[in-house]
Amino acid sequence: MKEKNKGFTLVELLAVIVILAIIALIATPIILNVINDAKKEAAKDSFYGYMDAIEKAIIVNDVDEEEDFPTPDSNGCYNLKELNEKVNIKGTKPKIAADAKVCFKEGTITSLTGVEIDGFTFTYDGKELTQTKNGTTEDVKKYKVYTNGTEIYYNPETGKKCTTAVSTPGTNSGCMKWYAFNDDDKSSTVNVILDHNTTAKVAWNSTGSNSEMKEVKIALENDTKDWKNDLNPRLIEANEIAKITENTEFDANKSNQKWFYLDSNNQTKTVSSTNKSKYAWLFDYTNGCTNYGCNKADSSTYGYWTSTQHKENSKYVWLVYRYDKLDNDSVTYAGYGVRPVITISKSDI
């Protein structure tokens, strides 16, 4: 006789159900944690983008001085609800608490409270970021920190790390050496400055006005036209130089600011016993700089321009000079060059 096909017994079915239940119990928290971590990181990235937009809005107003721009209090703090209307940011703006405020000093945000993004509330004290949800503090991812002057070999055309760099002034393609600056563990990207000028010498604006970058902007765009779009090439700011050297007295947004040597932060030259500057990487490949502590001199340029106008003299701009200092000079003088800054994702290096 033909034997009948056997089915699963009740015990076997129950065993399968139990196994599936155990797998579900193990997998569900993992999946939920992955989703929550992704939301948490996305909200954090959005917050940093919002904070950058606030800084830019305040800095731009310091130059343009809009009539209806919010006024800070005596501590340099703005009502964030009012300031929020002036912030240019893509996508949905965060929810802002009625008592939210942002404090700004020396070109950077020193504190920010009352910002909510996708259910996460953020508080920033100038150093640490606190991210909470429903009153519970969330772990904020920390990234590798690149100390000032860390060498990074990077090809801006391919967007990849490389090993053998060309540092000849005028070089604007292939593998080149860059230096990290002003980085922290809260950022997934790092700003880097090239170790040489892509254009050796060019006027900042031959019309004699520092109201806008002219020739130097054209040179920058031409030098970087084949680079990856998301690198956002630009010139370094004078206040970024001051932050690198820890000069807390300098603020290019204020009047009566004096030039200073990078090592001493004042007008008295200071170098090590071997005549080497701590900030040699900031003024390498400039004419005669070896007498002031740089590693490599080059006669093709006297330094490089920043993007920062002089507050009191409408014909002057701040620059990094060959003699180890942040100085200023006439925008018509074609003795300084273009030394690009780009923003690199840390995952690419």
Side-chain angles (χ1 to χ4, degrees):
M1 292 182 62
K2 196 172 183 179
E3 188 176 346
K4 291 184 179 179
N5 293 328
K6 286 186 65 179
F8 291 107
T9 66
L10 179 60
V11 172
E12 290 172 331
L13 287 173
L14 289 173
V16 170
I17 292 171
V18 169
I19 292 171
L20 290 174
I22 293 171
I23 293 173
L25 286 172
I26 296 172
T28 300
I30 295 174
I31 294 172
L32 291 176
N33 284 336
V34 169
I35 294 173
N36 185 62
D37 286 345
K39 288 181 177 179
K40 185 166 58 180
E41 287 302 307
K44 179 173 68 68
D45 288 342
S46 295
F47 172 78
Y48 280 125
Y50 180 66
M51 192 161 66
D52 287 341
I54 292 172
E55 283 189 347
K56 289 177 182 177
I58 296 173
I59 291 171
V60 168
N61 178 68
D62 285 342
V63 176
D64 296 342
E65 296 183 347
E66 298 179 33
E67 291 185 4
D68 59 344
F69 198 85
T71 302
D73 61 22
S74 59
N75 295 317
C77 300
Y78 295 81
N79 181 302
L80 191 55
K81 199 83 170 177
E82 297 176 2
L83 188 59
N84 192 51
E85 300 303 317
K86 297 294 181 180
V87 177
N88 183 16
I89 187 171
K90 295 180 180 179
T92 305
K93 290 185 178 181
K95 292 182 180 179
I96 308 298
D99 59 348
K101 65 179 182 178
V102 56
C103 300
F104 189 82
K105 183 180 180 181
E106 297 178 355
T108 189
I109 290 176
T110 57
S111 69
L112 192 157
T113 60
V115 176
E116 182 183 326
I117 300 175
D118 293 335
F120 294 93
T121 301
F122 294 89
T123 301
Y124 178 66
D125 65 2
K127 293 182 179 179
E128 298 293 331
L129 173 68
T130 302
Q131 183 177 2
T132 61
K133 188 171 186 179
N134 298 326
T136 302
T137 301
E138 298 282 341
D139 292 327
V140 178
K141 183 177 180 180
K142 293 188 176 182
Y143 297 88
K144 177 179 178 179
V145 177
Y146 291 87
T147 57
N148 286 338
T150 299
E151 297 179 0
I152 295 174
Y153 293 85
Y154 184 81
N155 187 328
E157 296 167 299
T158 63
K160 298 183 180 298
K161 286 177 61 177
C162 52
T163 54
T164 305
V166 177
S167 297
T168 307
T171 300
N172 60 11
S173 62
C175 185
M176 296 185 286
K177 184 194 290 186
W178 306 78
Y179 295 110
F181 67 91
N182 296 343
D183 189 31
D184 60 52
D185 63 4
K186 303 173 189 65
S187 177
S188 61
T189 61
V190 57
N191 288 322
V192 295
I193 185 169
L194 197 57
D195 77 333
H196 64 272
N197 294 0
T198 51
T199 292
K201 294 180 180 179
V202 63
W204 203 87
N205 187 332
S206 61
T207 68
S209 171
N210 70 4
S211 60
E212 64 173 335
M213 291 192 292
K214 194 175 179 183
E215 283 82 1
V216 73
K217 180 181 179 182
I218 295 171
L220 175 65
E221 291 174 348
N222 184 61
D223 291 348
T224 63
K225 64 181 184 298
D226 295 325
W227 296 4
K228 290 189 67 182
N229 293 331
D230 59 355
L231 298 178
N232 301 315
R234 61 179 178 86
L235 299 184
I236 199 166
E237 299 172 5
N239 281 350
E240 288 180 308
I241 297 291
K243 185 175 181 180
I244 290 170
T245 67
E246 300 181 359
N247 188 339
T248 57
E249 300 298 320
F250 181 88
D251 185 354
N253 297 313
K254 297 179 180 178
S255 301
N256 301 317
Q257 300 303 297
K258 298 179 180 179
W259 67 265
F260 62 88
Y261 284 112
L262 304 179
D263 280 284
S264 62
N265 282 331
N266 58 48
Q267 295 184 355
T268 301
K269 177 65 181 170
T270 302
V271 291
S272 67
S273 58
T274 58
N275 198 42
K276 288 297 180 183
S277 169
K278 180 180 179 181
Y279 304 102
W281 53 278
L282 273 176
F283 64 105
D284 270 350
Y285 291 97
T286 56
N287 187 37
C289 63
T290 48
N291 292 328
Y292 286 80
C294 82
N295 300 309
K296 179 70 174 178
D298 186 273
S299 60
S300 65
T301 184
Y302 295 122
Y304 56 92
W305 298 107
T306 75
S307 61
T308 308
Q309 303 113 317
H310 195 280
K311 188 73 173 177
E312 296 164 286
N313 193 326
S314 62
K315 296 182 179 181
Y316 275 57
V317 164
W318 291 98
L319 56 98
V320 175
Y321 191 54
R322 57 178 175 159
Y323 290 167
D324 179 29
K325 59 183 178 179
L326 181 72
D327 208 340
N328 55 83
D329 205 343
S330 170
V331 293
T332 62
Y333 181 57
Y336 313 106
V338 174
R339 191 165 298 200
V341 166
I342 57 175
T343 302
I344 302 175
S345 171
K346 291 180 179 177
S347 63
D348 291 337
I349 53 175

